[in-house]
Amino acid sequence: MKILVTGGLGFIGSHTVVELQQEGYEVVIIDNLSNSSIEVLDGITAITKIKPHFEQIDLKDKNNVRQFFSNHSDIAGVVHFAASKAVGESVNEPLMYYENNIGTLVYVLQEISKLNFQNFIFSSSCTVYGQADELPITENAPVKPAESPYGNTKQIGEEIIKDTCKVNSDLNSIALRYFNPIGAHPSVKIGELPIGVPQNLVPYITQTGIGMRDQLSVFGGDYPTSDGTAIRDYIHVVDLARAHVVALQRLIDKKNDSNYEVFNLGTGKGSSVLEVIESFNRISGQNLKYSIVDKREGDITAAYAETSKANNILGWKTELTLDDAMDSAWKWEQKIRNS
Ligand code: WQD
């Protein structure tokens, strides 16, 4: 079976391509290389020994999208990652985010509606919850006004899919709300490749550990948490990738209860920033240099997933720990800086 992975050379996309190939799927990748590198294709191939078919297409080009789908009308499912994802950047470039994240989703859905198999997995985010009123966060938690255009594009994206599923019963869709993806493939052949100064915690930690950054700034030390630093649910990217395979299989096997389902993907455990630093120190043997500074605009205090829906309905749960993820992230950082 042929599966299209849009944004398949990105961080989560590439790890999902590996898991799909290892599950026996034929994978076709579309990526515009705006936030990824063609070398990732070699990394995927080195792991699976199967080179995915790749086409460099910008999904904002409606004609190219239409041409692609007419050349690949035998696609059995689409996993849609292609989107811009930097929260801070989205505040400064809202129109770029709405065009790139919403316009492209519409074009992909328009083309999927012409296929025999309309199975669609959407890359969403726990950011749709904002600061949830209750922890852990279930899929029934209210979606709150987005704190950034990036978060808004995820909320709008879910609404677009829901509305389309209402009028197109052939479209079978699952939205996966990721918590905080971290780590790298254990083979150390693919991993996260942040461009410029990392916005996210773990790549900033590993770049500090390797000497690229002087020290880590911990954004906020007086949150109402056990150690005063903010809490997130850090999920290993390989566990996250495996959830996509399980979700897609659910649609292909027509086991879905409705044609639009939502699942939280997290470990169910919250970790504070200081606990993440301690994880790095444990696995690296270093004593990471950091200083506690003011809170970052738009950050929430705490978020971690209630995972029983994904556990019981998808039959999926995380297998890897924070230390496993940190160990893989550190090994990846050392590899890319020493190669
Ligand atoms: C985690 C914690 C920071 C950097 C965002 C998006 C989410 C997803 C992941 C795309 C927070 C603290 C961070 C640093 C720090 N993105 N931190 N110093 O903000 O929870 O989630 O990225 O899919 O959708 O919302 O992740 O890694 O930026 O921050 O103290 O240099 O680490 O304040 O508490 P975040 P993050």
Side-chain angles (χ1 to χ4, degrees), residues 87 125 150 180 199-201 217-219 230 232 234 296 299:
V87 173
S125 170
Y150 160 76
N180 287 59
Q199 298 303 304
N200 294 135
L201 179 63
S217 296
V218 174
F219 299 142
R232 297 291 186 275
Y234 296 94
R296 179 172 63 179
D299 273 357

Side-chain angles (χ1 to χ4, degrees), residues 23-75:
E23 197 64 26
Y25 290 102
E26 176 194 353
V27 176
V28 177
I29 294 172
I30 284 179
D31 202 301
N32 67 0
L33 299 178
S34 66
N35 189 24
S36 56
S37 138
I38 191 67
E39 282 77 35
V40 174
L41 200 55
D42 298 332
I44 293 168
T45 309
I47 296 167
T48 64
K49 313 302 180 216
I50 306 164
K51 184 169 188 175
H53 175 76
F54 167 68
E55 294 190 26
Q56 183 174 351
I57 293 173
D58 190 323
L59 294 177
K60 293 195 291 293
D61 185 327
K62 189 173 184 172
N63 292 327
N64 282 348
V65 176
R66 182 178 300 133
Q67 185 61 58
F68 173 87
F69 275 88
S70 66
N71 296 341
H72 296 274
S73 57
D74 56 343
I75 283 170

Side-chain angles (χ1 to χ4, degrees), residues 45-221:
T45 309
I47 296 167
T48 64
K49 313 302 180 216
I50 306 164
K51 184 169 188 175
H53 175 76
F54 167 68
E55 294 190 26
Q56 183 174 351
I57 293 173
D58 190 323
L59 294 177
K60 293 195 291 293
D61 185 327
K62 189 173 184 172
N63 292 327
N64 282 348
V65 176
R66 182 178 300 133
Q67 185 61 58
F68 173 87
F69 275 88
S70 66
N71 296 341
H72 296 274
S73 57
D74 56 343
I75 283 170
V78 177
V79 187
H80 183 58
F81 292 103
S84 300
K85 64 160 196 168
V87 173
E89 181 187 54
S90 77
V91 173
N92 300 319
E93 306 269 358
L95 288 181
M96 187 264 274
Y97 269 69
Y98 289 116
E99 182 190 32
N100 194 43
N101 292 8
I102 303 297
T104 57
L105 171 63
V106 170
Y107 295 160
V108 169
L109 288 173
Q110 285 172 332
E111 294 309 317
I112 288 176
S113 66
K114 304 170 190 170
L115 298 176
N116 293 330
F117 298 101
Q118 299 180 39
N119 298 309
F120 182 69
I121 303 289
F122 179 62
S123 166
S124 190
S125 170
C126 64
T127 201
V128 303
Y129 299 116
Q131 177 55 70
D133 300 326
E134 289 178 36
L135 293 171
I137 304 171
T138 72
E139 288 82 354
N140 301 320
V143 170
K144 291 197 173 176
E147 308 257 350
S148 69
Y150 160 76
N152 207 20
T153 66
K154 291 302 179 184
Q155 291 181 7
I156 296 166
E158 289 190 2
E159 291 303 314
I160 289 170
I161 298 161
K162 216 168 8 179
D163 289 345
T164 309
C165 286
K166 278 180 195 149
V167 292
N168 174 7
S169 57
D170 293 330
L171 177 60
N172 286 307
S173 180
I174 290 178
L176 297 175
R177 292 174 176 168
Y178 312 154
F179 279 68
N180 287 59
I182 63 169
H185 195 267
S187 67
V188 202
K189 295 185 188 305
I190 55 175
E192 195 168 4
L193 288 168
I195 295 172
V197 178
Q199 298 303 304
N200 294 135
L201 179 63
V202 168
Y204 202 103
I205 285 177
T206 55
Q207 287 192 12
T208 302
I210 203 93
M212 280 180 71
R213 312 287 166 203
D214 175 49
Q215 65 172 354
L216 170 74
S217 296
V218 174
F219 299 142

